[in-house]
Structure formats: C-alpha cells, structure tokens
Amino acid sequence: DAFPVPEPKTTPVVTLNFRHTLAKLLVTAKANSATPYIINIDNMQVADVLSTGAYDHTKGWYATTEDLVTYKYTAPSTALSAAKKTYFIESLVMPQEIKSSQVLTINYTITSGDYSEEFTYKATLAELFNGKATNFSQANSYTINFNIAPEKNIITFDTGSTAWEEDDNNPSLEY
C-alpha cells in the first residue's frame, strides 16, 4: 500500500516576476494654452525603427535583418488640449540602438479665427533623446512629450526613459 500524503498546513506561494522583453515608445503632445488658437495634429510618424529580430534568453534581442518599420498616427486630425496631453503613438519596440536615421515627423495645423497655417516639425530620435537614452532597452518606456506654443510657433519637448510598469498603462489614451 502507498503511504498517504498529508495535506500541507499552508498553501505554498511562488512569486514570479516577469519583465517585458520589448521596449515601449510613447509620443504625446499638448497645447501650451487653450485659446485663442486651435492646434490640430494632422499626422505623426517615427521612421526607420528595426522591426525584425530574435530573442535569446542569454543574449537578449538582436536584429536578424535590416527590416525597418514606420510607426504612424494618420487620422483623424486631432485637436490638442492645454489641460492634458494626448497620446499619438504607443508602440512596442524591439530593443535597439537609437540612431540618427530614426526621424520623428509631426504635421500640424494652427488655426486662429478664419486663418490657419500648416507646419511640419522633424527631429531625429538621437537628437530628442540626447543625453537621456542611447538605446531602447527591454522593459523600459521611452516618452517624447511635445508642447506646442502657437503664439511663437515654438515646440518644446521633454524626453525620458523609465522602467516600464505593467500596471501603469495609459488608460486615458485618446486617438
């Protein structure tokens, strides 16, 4: 006969901590004031991001080809708010070096009364993250926040890199 196995007095707890193997890229924009201008983001893109790779648990991610992808926000044209930032791009990105060939382009329109004018802003990701990040690393979130000041046609930006918290998703994404 088999010996009976006694029931444990407590339920064993096993804690598993997971880190996402990809990085996250976020691009946001907001107006610096509510009136008298209306600022619409017409489209936005981040070009030349490596898109094809493989993951090895000892080496991490590595590119298997030079395939590049462009992350885009194209429609509808979205009016910016001064009260809160609007997320335009939120994409998972294969970990990789941030290169000067990776260009962020924003096309936007500023309207005041009956007059409107279209503008284009371009910058490389290397310029935008200068001194703050040189790589998209796994389990990290990389954010570019734009603040458009129409009265001087000035765009300021603030970039950053933080640990990516799974519970800290952006529930108020606007598209």
Side-chain angles (χ1 to χ4, degrees):
D1 284 326
F3 292 101
V5 177
E7 290 292 322
K9 294 182 181 181
T10 61
T11 304
V13 176
V14 177
T15 302
L16 296 174
N17 293 319
F18 291 98
R19 291 183 60 195
H20 207 287
T21 62
L22 296 173
K24 186 188 292 188
L25 175 62
L26 300 159
V27 183
T28 72
K30 73 180 249 182
N32 75 327
S33 62
T35 57
Y37 305 98
I38 298 170
I39 304 166
N40 282 300
I41 300 293
D42 301 318
N43 57 65
M44 183 183 296
Q45 69 178 28
V46 177
D48 292 346
V49 180
L50 283 171
S51 66
T52 306
Y55 182 79
D56 179 291
H57 67 79
T58 58
K59 296 189 283 185
W61 281 97
Y62 57 93
T64 56
T65 69
E66 290 298 314
D67 290 343
L68 302 174
V69 67
T70 297
Y71 294 103
K72 296 180 181 181
Y73 170 81
T74 55
S77 181
T78 301
L80 295 183
S81 165
K84 65 180 182 175
K85 60 187 173 186
T86 300
Y87 288 82
F88 287 93
I89 295 175
E90 179 180 23
S91 295
L92 296 177
V93 179
M94 183 179 79
Q96 60 194 274
E97 180 183 350
I98 296 173
K99 299 179 182 172
S100 59
S101 62
Q102 297 168 324
V103 176
L104 171 69
T105 304
I106 301 173
N107 293 302
Y108 62 100
T109 303
I110 297 175
T111 303
S112 179
D114 293 333
Y115 179 77
S116 66
E117 189 170 348
E118 295 177 0
F119 296 91
T120 299
Y121 177 84
K122 284 186 178 188
T124 69
L125 295 187
E127 292 169 325
L128 295 172
F129 284 108
N130 185 24
K132 296 189 178 182
T134 57
N135 294 300
F136 291 129
S137 299
Q138 73 177 30
N140 283 282
S141 180
Y142 299 86
T143 304
I144 303 169
N145 296 306
F146 283 92
N147 186 6
I148 301 176
E151 60 275 351
K152 297 178 183 173
N153 194 26
I154 296 174
I155 293 181
T156 58
F157 63 90
D158 177 33
T159 58
S161 169
T162 58
W164 179 3
E165 299 286 334
E166 287 293 335
D167 294 334
D168 192 29
N169 290 329
N170 298 299
S172 61
L173 291 177
E174 297 179 14
Y175 293 98

